[in-house]
Amino acid sequence: MFLENKKIALAVTGSIAAFKAAEIVSLMIKEGAQVQVLMTREATEFITPLTLRTLSRRPVVCDLWDKNSPWKPEHIDVAEWADLFLVAPATAHIIACFANGLAPEVVSCAYLATRAPVVVAPAMNEKMFEHPATRENIEKLRCRGNIIVEPASGMLACGVAGKGRLAEPAEIVERVADVLRNSEK
């Protein structure tokens, strides 16, 4: 794998698929990457920062207003540090924020500040994923050079089958490695 000594910012947003972030972190660490996790407040309802801190071996950034952070805003520090910015899972809300330049929390602020390649792995209900607004927002991200890891089809958390499941963690990590490999050519 092409992740040895690569610095990956992993942004986790408020989807039931957030639990898969633990496997994504584990796979990247196993391949020698350094992983800095950022989480939206909603993501912390699905998986704890402690879990991701333990797996990544780094403090997790969850708040723009952390009084214990160093002098430099953490979202700027992570954005400048990262070789690649990965968002998995990416909700319809965060995709809309990215597409429209909104930055109400730490993940979208870091996204706007990074100049690293960005990989976005959506996860949501099929109807949300297929909604014209979501489709337009994803297309905006593609046009800006963001790499989209298409969601899988299958049984969704809401109890219906359709396209919207987060891609498998191994597929996401392989895509990250491909993007990093191609960015060095």
Side-chain angles (χ1 to χ4, degrees):
M1 189 76 69
F2 194 76
L3 296 182
E4 188 71 34
N5 296 318
K6 298 297 181 187
K7 297 178 284 191
I8 313 296
L10 170 60
V12 182
T13 69
S15 163
I16 187 66
F19 78 92
K20 292 183 178 180
E23 185 175 355
I24 293 169
V25 171
S26 293
L27 289 169
M28 291 192 297
I29 293 289
K30 182 179 176 183
E31 295 298 328
Q34 298 173 55
V35 181
Q36 175 62 64
V37 178
L38 302 101
M39 298 176 76
T40 63
R41 181 175 43 87
E42 294 80 7
T44 67
E45 296 292 325
F46 292 102
I47 185 170
T48 68
L50 176 60
T51 299
L52 298 174
R53 180 181 79 195
T54 301
L55 294 170
S56 69
R57 304 175 189 122
R58 300 174 70 93
V60 173
V61 180
C62 295
D63 188 359
L64 282 170
W65 315 112
D66 183 355
K67 309 271 187 288
N68 297 316
S69 67
W71 71 270
K72 192 172 192 178
E74 287 180 295
H75 62 285
I76 301 297
D77 197 35
V78 172
E80 292 174 348
W81 170 85
D83 295 320
L84 184 135
F85 193 88
L86 169 63
V87 188
T91 59
H93 175 79
I94 206 71
I95 290 168
C97 286
F98 292 176
N100 293 290
L102 302 176
E105 41 52 51
V106 72
V107 167
S108 53
C109 285
Y111 169 81
L112 289 177
T114 195
R115 296 302 173 257
V118 177
V119 176
V120 178
M124 64 195 76
N125 170 274
E126 177 184 39
K127 289 182 177 101
M128 294 173 71
F129 183 70
E130 295 300 334
H131 192 281
T134 303
R135 301 308 309 154
E136 288 173 22
N137 288 334
I138 289 172
E139 192 54 36
K140 280 184 188 179
L141 297 185
R142 273 195 182 101
C143 288
R144 293 178 189 157
N146 293 208
I147 307 302
I148 307 298
V149 180
E150 288 292 322
S153 294
M155 186 57 68
L156 303 174
C158 59
V160 300
K163 186 173 183 178
R165 292 175 55 93
L166 183 67
E168 289 301 316
E171 177 186 346
I172 294 168
V173 172
E174 183 58 42
R175 194 68 172 277
V176 164
D178 289 343
V179 170
L180 286 168
R181 196 176 296 113
N182 291 331
S183 70
E184 290 192 356
K185 290 182 180 178

